[in-house]
Amino acid sequence: MKKLLLPAIVFAAIALFGYGRQHSPFSDASTSATAANDSVFASAFEKHASNIQVEGQGTVAKILPDDNNGSRHQRFIVRLSSGQTILIAHNIDLAPRVSSLNEGDVVSFSGEYEWNPKGVVHWTHRDSDGRHPAGWIRHDGQAFQ
């Protein structure tokens, strides 16, 4: 009985490792989804499009001072895998600040894209009136909305 148990465990480990690699969130499918999302930003920027609900992921390239005119916004620039940069304007009057954010960190985000010479994503929070799709920022395993 013991002689059969070890090969069964080894076989199960190999099978699980192979399954995990094929279904990993870091697999080619995830990479192509990121590339598809990046192309949405490139197209919106090129066409000067606005009011587009988007989702993306990138690396924090620069943390900017808060915008305190009107509603307060935490601001930072994200570099997408395509190289394009996007300004994220996260309303900290309606959602918690992403306090542990540092340059070089990877963040995911959902919000509304607005064209400007740099490209901006805002509405990265819930709409208390329920008239706008909820956005979010994910960083270090936490969602901020």
Side-chain angles (χ1 to χ4, degrees):
M1 188 70 147
K2 287 184 180 180
K3 287 184 179 183
L4 292 176
L5 187 58
L6 185 58
I9 291 171
V10 170
F11 177 76
I14 291 169
L16 286 173
F17 177 74
Y19 176 84
R21 288 185 47 101
Q22 291 172 345
H23 294 86
S24 165
F26 304 105
S27 68
D28 291 339
S30 178
T31 302
S32 54
T34 300
N37 286 350
D38 285 3
S39 69
V40 168
F41 290 103
S43 176
F45 185 79
E46 182 181 308
K47 295 176 182 175
H48 294 205
S50 290
N51 304 319
I52 301 170
Q53 194 66 27
V54 295
E55 204 171 294
Q57 178 177 309
T59 303
V60 177
K62 185 165 179 79
I63 297 176
L64 303 171
D66 290 351
D67 176 359
N68 292 314
N69 295 329
S71 295
R72 297 175 311 131
H73 288 79
Q74 179 180 12
R75 300 179 314 144
F76 53 96
I77 297 172
V78 172
R79 183 173 312 282
L80 306 175
S81 62
S82 66
Q84 182 178 357
T85 56
I86 303 290
L87 170 65
I88 306 293
H90 180 61
N91 188 321
I92 52 176
D93 284 337
L94 298 175
R97 171 186 294 281
V98 187
S99 58
S100 61
L101 195 64
N102 293 298
E103 291 179 8
D105 289 355
V106 173
V107 294
S108 300
F109 56 90
S110 175
E112 184 177 270
Y113 178 86
E114 295 288 335
W115 185 89
N116 75 15
K118 297 192 187 262
V120 64
V121 172
H122 67 130
W123 280 98
T124 55
H125 55 83
R126 292 186 180 115
D127 176 9
S128 58
D129 295 332
R131 292 179 285 163
H132 194 281
W136 44 261
I137 294 174
R138 288 193 186 123
H139 175 255
D140 260 352
Q142 281 188 287
F144 299 84
Q145 63 177 163

